[in-house]
């Protein structure tokens, strides 16, 4: 969802849906990537792969948090946790990361567009967690209010 938000903001603000994703590849291709407009394999694919990899990293941390704190697996706490995860990612991206490794799209987009990107990321985390949560009423593991059963029963020897 954050990549879609980047593309929409790029089309609106940089006159190129690819520009923000191209900018992400600056860590590899150098500062010229920050200003690349069109779609190309070199910049767009590298930028998307980098952005996707970072998103998966944060999503894995978010999933670990949800696993350790089952109380967060209900809608309202889950939304708060996803917003907090996106806020931490934003802080790390722009305050703790060396300039050479920042996302890069901050050079092409306004602050409101950046905020919308991180909000879209939070929404993606929350929607993904809600869709896969065993605590959802329609999830097969939530039948009769019972907790999920393991896929494989442990043998007595284990």
């Amino acid at each position: 969802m954050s990549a879609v938000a980047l593309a929409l903001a790029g089309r609106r603000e940089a006159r190129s849906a690819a520009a923000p994703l191209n900018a992400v590849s600056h860590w590899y291709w150098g500062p010229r990537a920050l200003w690349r407009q069109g779609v190309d394999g070199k910049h767009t694919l590298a930028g998307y792969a980098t952005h996707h990899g970072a998103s998966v990293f944060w999503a894995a941390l978010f999933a670990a948090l949800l696993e350790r704190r089952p109380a967060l697996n209900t809608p309202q706490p889950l939304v708060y946790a996803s917003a907090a995860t996106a806020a931490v990612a934003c802080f790390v991206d722009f305050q703790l990361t060396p300039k050479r490794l920042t996302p890069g799209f901050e050079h092409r987009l306004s602050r409101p567009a950046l905020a919308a990107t991180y909000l879209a990321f939070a929404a993606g985390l929350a929607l993904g967690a809600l869709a896969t949560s065993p605590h959802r009423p329609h999830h097969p593991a939530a039948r009769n209010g019972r907790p999920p059963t393991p896929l494989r029963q442990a043998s007595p020897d284990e």
Side-chain angles (χ1 to χ4, degrees), residues 6-7 16 20 24 30 33 35 37 43 55 61 68 74 76 90 101-102 108 149 156:
L6 286 172
S16 168
V24 175
W35 309 109
Q37 281 292 102
H43 296 94
S55 298
L61 292 179
R68 285 198 165 97
T74 57
Q76 189 175 12
C90 181
L101 301 176
T102 61
R108 303 305 306 266
T149 56

Side-chain angles (χ1 to χ4, degrees), residues 32-58:
R32 293 180 62 165
L34 294 170
W35 309 109
R36 180 79 179 145
Q37 281 292 102
V39 174
D40 69 46
K42 180 177 173 179
H43 296 94
T44 311
L45 290 178
Y48 176 78
T50 301
H51 179 73
H52 184 74
S55 298
V56 169
F57 168 80
W58 287 106

Side-chain angles (χ1 to χ4, degrees), residues 2-142:
S2 58
V4 170
L6 286 172
L8 292 172
R11 193 171 67 191
R12 186 177 56 253
E13 295 184 2
R15 291 174 289 189
S16 168
L21 286 171
N22 290 340
V24 175
S25 73
H26 79 100
W27 73 272
Y28 187 74
W29 298 115
R32 293 180 62 165
L34 294 170
W35 309 109
R36 180 79 179 145
Q37 281 292 102
V39 174
D40 69 46
K42 180 177 173 179
H43 296 94
T44 311
L45 290 178
Y48 176 78
T50 301
H51 179 73
H52 184 74
S55 298
V56 169
F57 168 80
W58 287 106
L61 292 179
F62 178 68
L65 172 69
L66 295 182
E67 190 160 318
R68 285 198 165 97
R69 309 250 185 206
L72 294 176
N73 281 308
T74 57
Q76 189 175 12
L78 199 141
V79 167
Y80 292 148
S82 67
T85 301
V88 170
C90 181
F91 179 78
V92 169
D93 284 350
F94 297 115
Q95 299 302 315
L96 301 180
T97 302
K99 291 290 181 204
R100 174 83 171 140
L101 301 176
T102 61
F105 48 72
E106 72 275 13
H107 295 277
R108 303 305 306 266
L109 302 175
S110 66
R111 285 185 184 238
L114 296 177
T117 299
Y118 284 91
L119 283 172
F121 179 59
L125 290 174
L127 291 171
L130 285 170
T132 59
S133 172
H135 301 289
R136 285 185 347 182
H138 294 85
H139 192 282

